[in-house]
Amino acid sequence: MRWRLITAGFLHGGILHIGMNSWVLWSLGPQIDEVFGSYRYLAIYFVATVLGFGLSLYFAPATLSIGASAGISGMVGAMVGLG
């Protein structure tokens, strides 16, 4: 089950799902990269992904969780925290 914490951030539930996540990453990603730098950008995304899907696994172990939403939420949180 540990693989679920990372791989879920790279799986998507359909073309609309991957399209929306890609659009948000495309529009928010350069801002995060400019403010925090590439290494911190990756760290924010991966830590948020692992924590987000870890919480999903803890609170709803039988539920399928996929998509970049946990990582994107972490990036939005980083920008809000910066502001």
Side-chain angles (χ1 to χ4, degrees):
M1 286 285 224
R2 292 183 190 134
W3 59 268
R4 178 178 170 182
L5 297 177
I6 296 173
T7 57
F10 298 97
L11 301 174
H12 292 84
I15 193 73
L16 181 62
H17 190 214
I18 195 168
M20 292 301 292
N21 283 333
S22 296
W23 175 61
V24 173
L25 286 172
W26 181 72
S27 61
L28 184 62
Q31 296 172 22
I32 298 284
D33 189 44
E34 182 179 332
V35 172
F36 293 103
S38 298
Y39 292 116
R40 287 189 182 128
Y41 174 7
L42 289 173
I44 290 167
Y45 183 82
F46 280 113
V47 168
T49 297
V50 170
L51 288 176
F53 289 114
L55 289 170
S56 173
L57 182 62
Y58 179 76
F59 287 110
T63 303
L64 178 65
S65 297
I66 56 173
S69 301
I72 290 171
S73 296
M75 291 174 16
V76 169
M79 290 300 279
V80 169
L82 180 69

